[in-house]
Amino acid sequence: MTKGENINLYNALSDKKLGSLQGAKFAYAISRNLSLLQPEIEALKKALEASEEFVKYHEARVELAKSHAKKNDKGEPETTKNAQGQETFVLEDQEAFDKAFEALKEEHKATLEARQKQVDEQNELLKTESTVTLYKVALADVPNAITADQMKAISEIVEESILSPFQK
């Protein structure tokens, strides 16, 4: 498995709905794999942490957007949700904002280039093979209440050929 696939597995194993399924052997496998994956996930998160300079750029970008946003009756910037469900500011003059934003990007050019390099390196890192050896659980020990989507998400830890010690 790649490090990127490990992130997906970790997120699937962390799903509260999955954690509510019954079965001691299954619960143990979920818990054990979360423990095995956690150090790698934390290291990957640390590798993508934004630098102090990038945080300052981001704060300046937000302030720029606020200053160019339409204001409501209370004088606060108006917001809306975009297609991804993220809150964005409703801009009063898109052209003026774009011009100011280009100037801000130029001012922070080195910071943005460093951040892009960091993101590119992280993306390459996610493609590398992981050294984590997962704890497998027998298919017979997977609760019957599991959904197809849940099973697909955790299939890397389910082993059909492992005989369950609980089977007769």
Side-chain angles (χ1 to χ4, degrees):
M1 287 184 65
T2 65
K3 293 179 187 304
E5 290 168 333
N6 277 353
I7 291 173
N8 294 337
L9 178 60
Y10 184 83
N11 291 336
L13 294 173
S14 299
D15 183 6
K16 290 186 188 318
K17 292 177 187 169
L18 189 67
S20 69
L21 295 175
Q22 302 293 310
K25 183 90 171 158
F26 181 73
Y28 178 76
I30 298 296
S31 175
R32 178 87 184 268
N33 282 305
L34 284 171
S35 294
L36 291 169
L37 290 168
Q38 189 168 5
E40 183 167 279
I41 301 304
E42 287 176 0
L44 290 168
K45 284 181 181 177
K46 184 127 178 90
L48 195 57
E49 274 182 8
S51 67
E52 196 174 312
E53 294 82 15
F54 186 79
V55 170
K56 287 178 185 174
Y57 160 77
H58 176 70
E59 290 169 353
R61 184 180 61 82
V62 170
E63 287 305 314
L64 179 67
K66 281 182 184 178
S67 71
H68 282 82
K70 290 181 183 178
K71 307 295 188 271
N72 63 19
D73 297 339
K74 297 177 185 175
E76 298 167 345
E78 287 184 23
T79 60
T80 187
K81 292 209 185 244
N82 64 15
Q84 292 80 29
Q86 297 170 322
E87 204 166 296
T88 60
F89 294 103
V90 178
L91 299 176
E92 199 162 23
D93 182 351
Q94 182 72 49
E95 191 175 316
F97 170 77
D98 289 345
K99 187 175 181 181
F101 185 48
E102 285 304 316
L104 180 67
K105 288 194 299 189
E106 188 60 37
E107 179 184 337
H108 293 273
K109 186 176 182 177
T111 299
L112 293 173
E113 287 172 353
R115 178 63 176 176
Q116 186 58 54
K117 182 179 179 203
Q118 181 186 21
V119 169
D120 291 344
E121 288 172 355
Q122 172 79 354
N123 288 336
E124 286 304 310
L125 181 62
L126 292 176
K127 294 175 188 174
T128 62
E129 287 297 312
S130 172
T131 59
V132 175
T133 303
L134 298 172
Y135 180 83
K136 304 289 185 168
V137 63
L139 178 59
D141 293 323
V142 175
N144 291 335
I146 195 166
T147 67
D149 286 340
Q150 289 171 324
M151 181 63 89
K152 181 180 177 188
I154 67 161
S155 63
E156 287 295 328
I157 68 164
V158 177
E159 188 68 49
E160 194 171 352
S161 64
I162 298 176
L163 293 177
S164 171
F166 302 111
Q167 284 183 325
K168 293 182 181 178

